[in-house]
Amino acid sequence: GFSKLYLRPFNSEQSSALINNFLASTENETIRNEITNYIEGEYLQKHKVFASNPMLLTFFIMKYPIVDPCKGKKKLFYRTVYDAIVCGHDEEKKGYSRVFRSAQNAEEFTKVFREFCAATYIKHEVEFDRDTFDGYFNDLVTKNTLENPRIMTSRNFIHDACATACMMYEEDIKLLYIDPGFQEYLFAQHYFLAAPEELEALGRTLWDVAEINFDGYDAFEMLNEFSSEKFEKSLLIPYLHNIFKGKSEDIPFLSFLRYGYREFEYQVVDTDMVATYASKNSAEWIPSKPIIVEPSSIIFSILLRRLEI
């Protein structure tokens, strides 16, 4: 006999009490402080679901420091947590197993959910009404490759995403990811598993997409963690070839500027006039703040970051 219980998210006091209870028998003060700082750190506070979910808090304390997204382990972090939520945390409950309505098992569900995450991430969609959700769902290719595709309906898929896999939730008339990091992780996994041509085609669509359209670089960092070689060969090198390959010496720099930035602003300072006025008024000139010109595309931004420019 198992009963389903639904928990409201913990507030910070409840989360702290849970952490303290778990660490009560830990005599090593350094470990206690590290785990507390880890839970209360910037990353998990930004991704609130992890700091407010008692199951995930328990999981983090048990696994620390194996999963720490702040130390370049975002792929491992989300892979470990996804497996724990969707596949692992019921394994020890004998006599109880979650039943997927839309698929035969968690692996089949993940196959379709991974494609859904990839399609929605690249369109910058993190919440959906039913019509928008159905629009993405109807275009999914993987749902037709399952052992029993007839049960993979939109209604069943929503039920599994929200209630069985616990990857999404309903709020009023909206469907939302419990944390966009899972969407980013599964986007990265989808394109890691895809043919290089498919990843290269994706890269070409990003040549004109500004980085401001994405909430950071996490998805692309995780894709790079999956395979740095595939990431460079399919995403970065075609972009660089487009700018430089086959061009004479004076052309590539202009091409680099044209592809790299949408516009330029510059300031002209008449230093002689500045000196004259400064002397006449016994004043000190305060230079104006430099203008920051943002890169025009997410690919160009990634290149600059990798080159530490």
Side-chain angles (χ1 to χ4, degrees):
F2 288 92
S3 297
K4 291 183 179 180
L5 299 178
Y6 293 87
L7 297 179
R8 292 185 180 276
F10 276 19
N11 59 35
S12 57
E13 289 78 14
Q14 291 170 316
S15 296
S16 295
L18 180 64
I19 295 168
N20 290 334
N21 286 339
F22 269 109
L23 300 179
S25 60
T26 303
E27 296 180 0
N28 190 323
E29 192 67 26
T30 301
I31 294 295
R32 289 171 59 91
N33 292 336
E34 282 185 5
I35 293 178
T36 301
N37 292 335
Y38 170 51
I39 299 295
E40 296 177 354
E42 180 181 348
Y43 191 86
L44 290 191
Q45 289 305 307
K46 178 183 176 183
H47 297 257
K48 285 290 188 182
V49 64
F50 297 113
S52 62
N53 184 305
M55 183 191 77
L56 293 177
L57 282 173
T58 305
F59 174 79
F60 290 145
I61 294 168
M62 291 171 60
K63 294 290 185 180
Y64 183 84
I66 295 174
V67 287
D68 188 346
C70 304
K71 296 181 179 178
K73 299 178 181 178
K74 292 185 178 70
K75 177 179 77 72
L76 175 62
F77 174 83
Y78 280 104
R79 168 63 187 268
T80 307
V81 177
Y82 182 87
D83 286 351
I85 294 176
V86 179
C87 309
H89 80 274
D90 293 328
E91 287 179 350
E92 296 181 4
K93 304 186 184 81
K94 294 180 179 178
Y96 173 77
S97 62
R98 289 177 294 172
V99 177
F100 286 85
R101 293 183 182 179
S102 64
Q104 301 293 331
N105 48 46
E107 288 73 22
E108 277 199 348
F109 168 80
T110 298
K111 186 178 180 181
V112 179
F113 189 58
R114 183 166 53 222
E115 185 188 1
F116 179 84
C117 289
T120 55
Y121 175 77
I122 212 65
K123 295 293 186 181
H124 328 299
E125 298 270 17
V126 294
E127 59 178 60
F128 316 87
D129 58 31
R130 288 302 180 102
D131 290 334
T132 307
F133 188 98
D134 285 346
Y136 282 107
F137 177 81
N138 291 335
D139 289 337
L140 299 179
V141 174
T142 49
K143 70 179 190 296
N144 300 317
T145 66
L146 305 183
E147 183 178 338
N148 184 5
R150 289 184 299 176
I151 62 175
M152 178 54 77
T153 64
S154 178
R155 181 181 292 276
N156 286 347
F157 187 60
I158 288 173
H159 173 273
D160 286 344
C162 295
T164 312
C166 305
M167 283 287 111
M168 303 185 79
Y169 67 97
E170 294 185 79
E171 187 176 89
D172 299 325
I173 59 171
K174 294 284 188 180
L175 288 159
L176 304 94
Y177 290 105
I178 64 164
D179 182 86
F182 290 110
Q183 180 194 33
E184 294 166 351
Y185 163 71
L186 290 168
F187 157 84
Q189 190 183 63
H190 173 84
Y191 279 102
F192 165 66
L193 297 171
E197 297 78 19
E198 186 178 346
L199 182 55
E200 187 172 333
L202 168 73
R204 290 180 181 278
T205 68
L206 299 175
W207 288 3
D208 267 335
V209 179
E211 62 173 308
I212 197 172
N213 290 332
F214 295 92
D215 184 19
Y217 298 87
D218 286 357
F220 298 99
E221 287 180 0
M222 285 189 272
L223 179 56
N224 183 57
E225 284 182 53
F226 272 110
S227 173
S228 180
E229 180 182 358
K230 188 173 183 179
F231 185 84
E232 291 180 0
K233 186 175 181 180
S234 300
L235 276 186
L236 304 185
I237 291 177
Y239 181 79
L240 291 172
H241 277 178
N242 185 56
I243 297 174
F244 295 112
K245 192 174 183 180
K247 297 184 174 71
S248 57
E249 285 188 14
D250 56 337
I251 300 300
F253 183 66
L254 295 177
S255 181
F256 155 78
L257 295 178
R258 182 167 66 87
Y259 279 96
Y261 301 93
R262 295 183 189 277
E263 61 181 15
F264 286 97
E265 296 182 40
Y266 60 90
Q267 300 166 337
V268 177
V269 178
D270 187 331
T271 54
D272 292 337
M273 186 173 290
V274 168
T276 299
Y277 275 90
S279 175
K280 184 183 295 184
N281 297 288
S282 300
E284 181 182 353
W285 178 54
I286 301 176
S288 55
K289 292 182 178 179
I291 293 171
I292 297 176
V293 182
E294 297 289 348
S296 64
S297 75
I298 184 71
I299 297 293
F300 190 65
S301 298
I302 291 169
L303 278 165
L304 294 180
R305 286 167 63 89
R306 289 172 73 90
L307 297 170
E308 297 183 351
I309 297 175

